[in-house]
Amino acid sequence: MNAAPKRLPARDRILETASKLFYAHGIHAVGVDRLVAESGVAKATLYKHFPSKDDVVAAYLRGMDDDWRRHLRSAALAAGEEPREQLFGIFVALEKTAREGRLGCAFISAVAEYEPGSAVHDVAAEHKRTVRAWVRGLAAAAGAADPGTLAFQLTLLIDGTLAATRVEHAGAAAEAAKQTARALLDAACPR
């Protein structure tokens, strides 16, 4: 006798549903009633776990932050032990992600929908600062003369690629970013 698949806890179902809906439709376009209906929880259950929709959004972004930073670190480590190649590995993974059809950036979308100073905007901005600091560390380890500038350039390239994949041919945008990253790394981190 096969056991029925275990149902996710309510909080996890809410966040999983929010992730799918916010990605597909935007944050403001998805109301609490739709989150409740599609996650299969009562409205009181949603509010027990999240006092407001903005709390759902902030938790969703924190989960995306964990996932995205894990993805970036994994891509960097897969590229090898040299920090310079790890930086390039980010763009190899970005190209793969674009070709798989995962487009856009949850954090760019969030800051487009929320005012600076709001809790949601702050979570998204913190993610961007954290990623840039990590890239800066790799740039310094790779021997960049100005690791802060290189990190700024590379993270702008990442963000631009993620945004462009929503508008342009995703694979072509990611390939162009990969070539640009190689040129930046060649100029900033001589072998």
Side-chain angles (χ1 to χ4, degrees), residues 108-133:
I108 292 170
S109 296
V111 297
E113 293 192 48
Y114 284 84
E115 293 292 321
S118 67
V120 170
H121 191 282
D122 290 349
V123 170
E126 180 59 27
H127 163 78
K128 293 299 181 183
R129 284 190 296 272
T130 301
V131 169
R132 184 169 294 143

Side-chain angles (χ1 to χ4, degrees), residues 4-139:
K6 195 167 192 166
R7 194 167 185 200
L8 287 174
R11 185 178 197 285
D12 294 342
R13 288 196 322 269
I14 293 164
L15 289 174
E16 184 176 279
T17 302
S19 181
K20 290 175 188 169
L21 293 175
F22 294 160
Y23 176 82
H25 305 288
I27 296 167
H28 286 319
V30 177
V32 169
D33 290 336
R34 187 167 182 190
L35 277 173
V36 165
E38 294 198 27
S39 63
V41 301
K43 194 176 273 192
T45 301
L46 182 138
Y47 286 122
K48 175 183 153 197
H49 292 285
F50 304 100
S52 71
K53 181 183 169 191
D54 284 355
D55 292 314
V56 175
V57 176
Y60 149 73
L61 288 174
R62 285 186 195 100
M64 293 296 292
D65 173 59
D66 289 342
D67 291 346
W68 183 240
R69 288 191 298 129
R70 192 176 314 114
H71 178 70
L72 290 175
R73 281 179 175 32
S74 177
L77 291 173
E81 292 186 22
E82 293 293 322
R84 186 179 195 279
E85 290 310 310
Q86 290 179 353
L87 287 166
F88 187 70
I90 294 168
F91 292 89
V92 171
L94 190 59
E95 181 183 30
K96 182 176 185 258
T97 298
R99 291 192 189 283
E100 291 171 352
R102 291 181 285 169
L103 312 173
C105 174
F107 306 98
I108 292 170
S109 296
V111 297
E113 293 192 48
Y114 284 84
E115 293 292 321
S118 67
V120 170
H121 191 282
D122 290 349
V123 170
E126 180 59 27
H127 163 78
K128 293 299 181 183
R129 284 190 296 272
T130 301
V131 169
R132 184 169 294 143
W134 174 69
V135 170
R136 186 190 185 291
L138 283 176

Side-chain angles (χ1 to χ4, degrees), residues 98 102-104 160-171 173-174:
R102 291 181 285 169
L103 312 173
T161 303
L162 293 170
T165 58
R166 290 290 224 178
V167 179
E168 301 290 332
H169 181 294

